[in-house]
């Protein structure tokens, strides 16, 4: 589903190389986790895949179901089935949560040549999905993320993902700032979306999230590259011993 080959990326303004030849292949139905020290390029990878400004791709490719992501505008990438849950979701004052969600859902349906959801259809769907994430009606009525706690913002991100039903879901440190209960709720929302037609790339520092969202494959990223790949036991090794042994092994 996602095929990244020799991807090298630098910051446009600083001429600083961040990604130095990333190779990654994620098949439909799989959940991959990326771990690594601060500054290793994990979040940059998610930003480049989603189309954030400020990055210059100097070499390599990134394909989503065979389509060249790097040639698409951010909204085209979303319509193609890419979703990014942010580490720090922004507040959007003046834009109601329900209005935001329905506009996003219908924009993607339209881009895919499908019928848009009526107000009644949307309301029924969003209420059902919000209930599973313990998002109450008041949260749905408020402006997007305005006055939300960290846990509420992350649950709202997962609600967006549940409504948009993307093919490739990238979660950028979704567990940061969450208490145990909020993390369980977010993880339940993610696990409810797992299936053969969807893949996940989970970027995290901590094994604790991977206790709830069990990955098929774990990658260790350092200095702009993926330096080691293994099963879930690799995340446990990092939790117990840190990165130093792994980095010493691969350098």
């Amino acid at each position: 589903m996602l095929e990244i080959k020799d991807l090298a990326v630098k910051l446009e303004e600083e001429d600083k190389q961040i990604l130095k030849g990333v190779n990654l292949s994620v098949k439909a139905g799989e959940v991959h986790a990326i771990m690594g020290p601060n500054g290793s390029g994990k979040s940059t990878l998610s930003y480049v895949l989603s189309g954030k400004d400020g990055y210059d791709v100097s070499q390599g490719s990134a394909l989503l179901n065979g389509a060249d992501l790097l040639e698409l505008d951010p909204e085209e990438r979303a319509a193609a089935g890419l979703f990014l849950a942010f580490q720090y979701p922004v507040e959007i004052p003046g834009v109601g949560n329900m209005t935001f969600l329905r506009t996003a859902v219908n924009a993607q349906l339209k881009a895919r040549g499908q019928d848009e959801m009526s107000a009644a259809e949307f309301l029924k769907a969003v209420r059902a999905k919000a209930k599973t994430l313990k998002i109450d009606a008041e949260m749905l009525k408020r402006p997007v993320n305005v006055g939300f706690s960290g846990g509420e913002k992350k649950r709202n991100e997962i609600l967006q993902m549940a409504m948009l039903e993307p093919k490739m879901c990238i979660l950028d440190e979704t567990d940061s700032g969450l208490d145990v209960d909020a993390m369980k709720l977010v993880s339940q929302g993610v696990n409810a979306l797992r299936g053969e037609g969807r893949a996940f790339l989970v970027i995290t520092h901590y094994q604790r999230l991977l206790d709830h969202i069990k990955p098929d494959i774990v990658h260790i990223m350092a200095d702009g590259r993926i330096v080691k790949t293994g099963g879930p036991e690799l995340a446990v090794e990092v939790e117990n011993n840190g990165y130093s042994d792994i980095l010493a092994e691969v350098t």
Side-chain angles (χ1 to χ4, degrees):
M1 182 168 286
L2 179 67
E3 190 74 43
I4 301 170
K5 290 186 178 176
D6 201 26
L7 187 64
V9 173
K10 61 183 179 181
L11 291 174
E12 284 181 353
E13 292 186 357
E14 297 180 35
D15 195 29
K16 181 182 178 182
Q17 198 77 26
I18 306 294
L19 302 183
K20 303 175 182 179
V22 173
N23 291 286
L24 179 66
S25 182
V26 182
K27 295 177 183 176
E30 290 182 341
V31 175
H32 288 230
I34 293 184
M35 305 178 75
N38 287 329
S40 57
K42 304 184 300 297
S43 290
T44 295
L45 177 62
S46 70
Y47 295 155
V48 170
L49 292 175
S50 62
K52 186 177 180 181
D53 289 336
Y55 298 95
D56 179 34
V57 178
S58 52
Q59 69 180 42
S61 61
L63 305 180
L64 179 63
N65 284 326
D68 186 350
L69 277 177
L70 304 179
E71 291 297 316
L72 301 177
D73 291 332
E75 60 269 26
E76 292 174 319
R77 300 181 195 201
L82 186 76
F83 178 88
L84 172 62
F86 294 99
Q87 182 177 359
Y88 302 110
V90 298
E91 297 184 1
I92 311 178
V95 179
N97 217 7
M98 293 281 271
T99 303
F100 175 80
L101 271 173
R102 189 178 171 207
T103 302
V105 168
N106 280 337
Q108 290 207 8
L109 289 171
K110 187 176 180 181
R112 295 170 189 157
Q114 297 172 255
D115 291 337
E116 296 181 29
M117 292 180 87
S118 69
E121 288 172 329
F122 173 79
L123 197 58
K124 183 178 179 182
V126 78
R127 280 177 174 166
K129 293 182 190 301
K131 189 176 181 181
T132 64
L133 290 164
K134 290 189 168 61
I135 294 174
D136 61 31
E138 285 305 309
M139 266 181 74
L140 292 174
K141 291 175 187 174
R142 286 154 65 182
V144 179
N145 292 328
V146 175
F148 285 24
S149 68
E152 286 174 336
K153 286 181 178 179
K154 298 299 174 73
R155 274 151 48 205
N156 205 35
E157 290 269 283
I158 304 305
L159 175 62
Q160 292 168 22
M161 185 168 71
M163 289 300 299
L164 291 168
E165 297 186 339
K167 296 185 180 77
M168 183 71 228
C169 309
I170 303 172
L171 309 181
D172 184 18
E173 298 196 30
T174 295
D175 53 330
S176 69
L178 296 186
D179 61 27
V180 173
D181 290 336
M183 187 165 58
K184 284 182 180 178
L185 273 174
V186 165
S187 301
Q188 286 166 9
V190 171
N191 288 329
L193 287 167
R194 291 176 76 154
E196 292 182 6
R198 185 172 289 120
F200 287 85
L201 189 60
V202 181
I203 297 168
T204 183
H205 275 295
Y206 303 110
Q207 158 67 24
R208 61 177 190 165
L209 179 67
L210 305 182
D211 285 337
H212 302 288
I213 304 172
K214 299 200 180 295
D216 300 296
I217 297 171
V218 175
H219 308 277
I220 304 300
M221 197 167 187
D223 193 27
R225 294 184 180 89
I226 290 174
V227 297
K228 188 169 184 178
T229 295
E233 69 281 354
L234 190 53
V236 177
E237 182 185 338
V238 167
E239 184 76 8
N240 292 335
N241 305 320
Y243 294 107
S244 55
D245 289 352
I246 291 171
L247 297 184
E249 176 189 320
V250 298
T251 53

